[in-house]
Amino acid sequence: EPEVTQTPSHQVTQMGQEVILRCVPISNHLYFYWYRQILGQKVEFLVSFYNNEISEKSEIFDDQFSVERPDGSNFTLKIRSTKLEDSAMYFCASRITVNQPQHFGDGTRLSIL
Amino acid sequence: QKEVEQNSGPLSVPEGAIASLNCTYSDRGSQSFFWYRQYSGKSPELIMFIYSNGDKEDGRFTAQLNKASQYVSLLIRDSQPSDSATYLCAVNMRTGRRALTFGSGTRLQVQP
């Protein structure tokens, strides 16, 4: 069964550094999402992406965040200047149409020191 | 504020019993509803989805939706210890957002 793949599985970064999280959505999916889950808390929406542009973003997704689909297969989340509170699991998800279920990748655990 | 509410649990049931997990949502115009299972340290895994009022069955799982009461539930029949996990209710709300709004999850413990 096709899967959403995310790399790396674990990223450790010094505060203030830039980090890029990578995702390969399922190949025929058109809608892409990033979510995060701080330890012990809810899964929270960050941003959605469709037709090569952001379609929605949450209040969490401020100017330090950006997303890109550089080559038609990868979907990346960049955090420009990481803060301690950015430590979380980051999940990429994709779906084929807007009302179909989203399928999640295994996540990247981001630890900011 | 648009919310999805779940009892955090833990809900403890003996092996072989029916586990009943509940979820309420605040946006009356919500259109699609999903149940995900999440093991500790892992990603959400889709279990069921439901769009229309009534019941939808898939194997040991039944999702129930009542839009008038803004209530969605998940029944797990013949519960197994491997079903022990956190169950996340997620909703596509009407208010311009196609992303999912998640509840905080209900932790299910199935006792052997």
Side-chain angles (χ1 to χ4, degrees):
Chain A
E1 186 173 322
E3 291 183 341
V4 176
T5 57
Q6 289 186 245
T7 54
S9 57
H10 188 196
Q11 174 83 46
V12 182
T13 301
Q14 293 288 332
M15 185 172 58
Q17 296 297 303
E18 176 181 285
V19 64
I20 297 175
L21 310 182
R22 291 183 167 80
C23 169
V24 179
I26 296 172
S27 64
N28 62 340
H29 285 193
L30 301 177
Y31 296 82
F32 314 118
Y33 303 84
W34 284 102
Y35 293 84
R36 80 172 184 192
Q37 187 176 30
I38 295 169
L39 185 64
Q41 297 188 22
K42 292 183 184 185
V43 176
E44 300 175 289
F45 166 68
L46 293 178
V47 65
S48 61
F49 195 86
Y50 169 70
N51 200 25
N52 285 319
E53 61 183 21
I54 290 174
S55 49
E56 302 173 72
K57 57 184 180 180
S58 74
E59 56 276 7
I60 301 169
F61 193 87
D62 61 21
D63 291 345
Q64 70 162 340
F65 291 93
S66 61
V67 290
E68 198 175 39
R69 188 160 161 81
D71 57 13
S73 61
N74 291 284
F75 178 49
T76 62
L77 174 68
K78 182 193 292 187
I79 309 174
R80 256 180 282 280
S81 177
T82 50
K83 305 179 189 127
L84 293 176
E85 55 265 37
D86 294 327
S87 296
M89 283 288 287
Y90 287 80
F91 296 112
C92 174
S94 69
R95 61 180 168 188
I96 191 165
T97 65
V98 72
N99 281 326
Q100 289 298 307
Q102 295 182 25
H103 296 269
F104 284 74
D106 288 342
T108 293
R109 183 155 65 98
L110 178 63
S111 299
I112 307 301
L113 304 180
Chain B
Q1 189 171 354
K2 308 305 179 186
E3 294 286 346
V4 176
E5 300 289 340
Q6 295 181 258
N7 188 319
S8 61
L11 172 65
S12 185
V13 300
E15 184 173 354
I18 296 175
S20 177
L21 304 160
N22 305 314
C23 171
T24 58
Y25 58 94
S26 61
D27 186 348
R28 186 169 289 279
S30 298
Q31 298 175 348
S32 43
F33 307 86
F34 305 87
W35 283 100
Y36 287 85
R37 177 173 63 198
Q38 187 175 35
Y39 293 110
S40 182
K42 302 296 185 182
S43 65
E45 173 194 5
L46 181 70
I47 299 296
M48 292 283 296
F49 59 95
I50 187 166
Y51 302 147
S52 304
N53 277 330
D55 295 0
K56 179 181 178 184
E57 187 174 317
D58 183 1
R60 296 187 296 115
F61 300 97
T62 299
Q64 299 174 316
L65 175 61
N66 183 327
K67 289 188 177 180
S69 300
Q70 295 174 241
Y71 177 92
V72 58
S73 64
L74 179 70
L75 300 178
I76 306 174
R77 285 181 299 281
D78 188 24
S79 296
Q80 301 297 309
S82 57
D83 294 326
S84 298
T86 297
Y87 288 79
L88 308 178
C89 175
V91 178
N92 254 134
M93 293 189 168
R94 172 188 54 178
T95 49
R97 172 176 283 189
R98 302 300 176 89
L100 296 174
T101 300
F102 281 84
S104 56
T106 297
R107 188 156 61 95
L108 173 66
Q109 294 176 340
V110 180
Q111 307 294 338

